[in-house]
Amino acid sequence: MKCALVLLLSLFALNSHAMVLFEPMAAYEVSGSTAIEFTPAGEAIKGVEKLDGTHLGSISYGARLGWVFDNAAWIAGEYMAASGGKIKYDTHEDEFTRESYGVDLGMWLGRWNLWVGYNIADKLNITQQGATEKDEITGTAIRAGIGFLVFRHLSINVEGAYRTYNDGKSESDTVYENMDQYVDKFNQTTVTAGLSFPF
């Protein structure tokens, strides 16, 4: 992954002319899943070996800021936030919000826009059913997307993401406060569809 990133950045650097890219975005989660596997110690506390949940319906919003080069390649920093999410398990339902910071590398092919992204910080705030305190789960994510430019400043986009969480903070849940001891795997996959307004 690091070699590919260095190669792509080198290709961008060969092109000295660039225009500023600013792209506000809004999206709706059309599909999502959460998979949590506990260590034996975590299973003893939670009473289950793993949790599998589904979710959709969260609204995300944010923007990219970067450069578009003469060869139609582009690079941008990205900030996104999501709210209104609910993870439905067999026995309960949790609510969540998300905040992420990342870097995107992409290419315009006529009206089509293709990109890959990496979230350096991907933070999930979970309110477990019946709780008032939020559990803060942090990690990283890899993303890939495709967009179609309908008008000059309007694009329809679809993006998939695979999120890996490995650290947590919690006032009320020992498992998420000490994820290195109690959680073997905490992953989310999401698919979003939405609009962006590239300038």
Side-chain angles (χ1 to χ4, degrees):
M1 180 69 181
K2 289 183 179 179
C3 292
L5 184 59
V6 170
L7 176 61
L8 286 170
L9 290 173
S10 298
L11 290 173
F12 289 137
L14 292 176
N15 195 322
S16 60
H17 299 91
M19 296 187 306
V20 173
L21 167 68
F22 177 61
E23 188 174 7
M25 299 178 288
Y28 179 84
E29 185 184 35
V30 296
S31 176
S33 63
T34 296
I36 309 172
E37 293 183 6
F38 301 105
T39 64
E43 182 182 351
I45 295 174
K46 288 293 186 179
V48 292
E49 181 181 355
K50 62 179 182 177
L51 288 172
D52 292 308
T54 59
H55 41 93
L56 54 83
S58 66
I59 303 293
S60 56
Y61 45 89
R64 292 185 180 120
L65 180 62
W67 296 270
V68 180
F69 299 91
D70 286 348
N71 60 3
W74 58 269
I75 182 171
E78 178 181 306
Y79 168 80
M80 292 294 286
S83 60
K86 293 184 178 181
I87 309 172
K88 296 182 180 181
Y89 300 103
D90 288 339
T91 58
H92 66 284
E93 180 178 282
D94 296 342
E95 298 179 355
F96 73 88
T97 61
R98 182 186 296 111
E99 186 176 24
S100 63
Y101 303 86
V103 177
D104 297 345
L105 302 174
M107 176 73 71
W108 282 100
L109 301 173
R111 287 183 172 269
W112 294 97
N113 186 19
L114 307 175
W115 69 87
V116 293
Y118 179 74
N119 287 354
I120 301 165
D122 200 291
K123 183 171 68 174
L124 193 66
N125 287 314
I126 299 173
T127 304
Q128 298 185 49
Q129 184 171 312
T132 55
E133 300 89 356
K134 292 182 179 181
D135 306 318
E136 183 181 298
I137 315 297
T138 57
T140 59
I142 54 174
R143 298 175 285 104
I146 183 170
F148 181 76
L149 194 65
V150 181
F151 302 111
R152 184 178 178 186
H153 298 299
L154 175 62
S155 178
I156 298 174
N157 307 314
V158 176
E159 183 181 81
Y162 183 77
R163 308 171 190 276
T164 302
Y165 299 102
N166 49 31
D167 194 20
K169 295 179 182 178
S170 177
E171 295 293 330
S172 59
D173 194 313
T174 302
V175 170
Y176 294 137
E177 177 67 21
N178 302 278
M179 287 183 64
D180 57 334
Q181 300 177 40
Y182 298 118
V183 177
D184 188 46
K185 182 178 75 172
F186 192 133
N187 295 329
Q188 276 194 344
T189 57
T190 58
V191 177
T192 57
L195 302 174
S196 66
F197 309 92
F199 291 92

